[in-house]
Amino acid sequence: YAMLLSLIFLIVLVTTIVGFVFRHEIKTNFESNLELALKDYNVTADRHSEAVDTIQRTLHCCGVQNYSDWERTEYFSQRGIPRSCCKNQNDCSEDDLKDPNKAKLKVFVD
C-alpha cells in the first residue's frame, strides 16, 4: 500500500513540475487555439463554438484578451458579441451586443 501511495505522490509531483516548467507554452498554445476558435465561431453549434461559449460562461470572460477581440471576427459583423459573454442573459439585447460601447457595460470585459 505504501509503494502505491508513493508512486501516486511521485506522479503528482512530476506532473506539477512539468506543468510549471511548460506553463508559458501551455498558455500560448491555449490562446492561439482560442483565437482560432473565435475566428471560426458561428451559431451552428459546432464543438468549437460550444467550447468557446462554455469557457466564456464558466470563467466569466469574453474573448481571448478582452471583449474587443470579437470585433475582428466575421461573427461580430453579422451578430455582434456572442450572448455567452453577457453578465446577465436577461439584460443583454442584440442591439447592445452589436455596439461595443454599449456592450462594454453588459458583457464580461476581460
Side-chain angles (χ1 to χ4, degrees), residues 11-23:
I11 290 170
V12 170
L13 181 65
V14 168
T15 305
T16 303
I17 291 170
V18 169
F20 181 76
V21 169
F22 293 107
R23 70 187 181 279

Side-chain angles (χ1 to χ4, degrees), residues 2-4 6-7 9-11 13 17 22 25 27 29 32 39-41 50 58 60 64-65 70 81 84 97 101 107:
M3 269 177 78
L4 181 63
S6 297
L7 181 63
F9 175 75
L10 185 61
I11 290 170
L13 181 65
I17 291 170
F22 293 107
E25 288 85 357
K27 179 181 177 187
N29 191 6
S32 65
K39 180 181 162 223
D40 296 333
Y41 184 88
E50 288 178 21
T58 305
H60 296 207
V64 179
Q65 300 298 324
W70 283 103
I81 297 172
S84 60
L97 297 174
N101 294 322
V107 301

Side-chain angles (χ1 to χ4, degrees), residues 70-89:
W70 283 103
E71 294 177 47
R72 297 184 298 274
T73 65
E74 181 68 30
Y75 182 83
F76 181 82
S77 63
Q78 297 171 0
R79 313 251 338 245
I81 297 172
R83 293 189 64 77
S84 60
C85 286
C86 294
K87 293 177 186 175
N88 181 353
Q89 295 293 320

Side-chain angles (χ1 to χ4, degrees), residues 5 13 44 88 90 99-100:
L5 196 58
L13 181 65
T44 59
N88 181 353
N90 298 327
D99 181 358

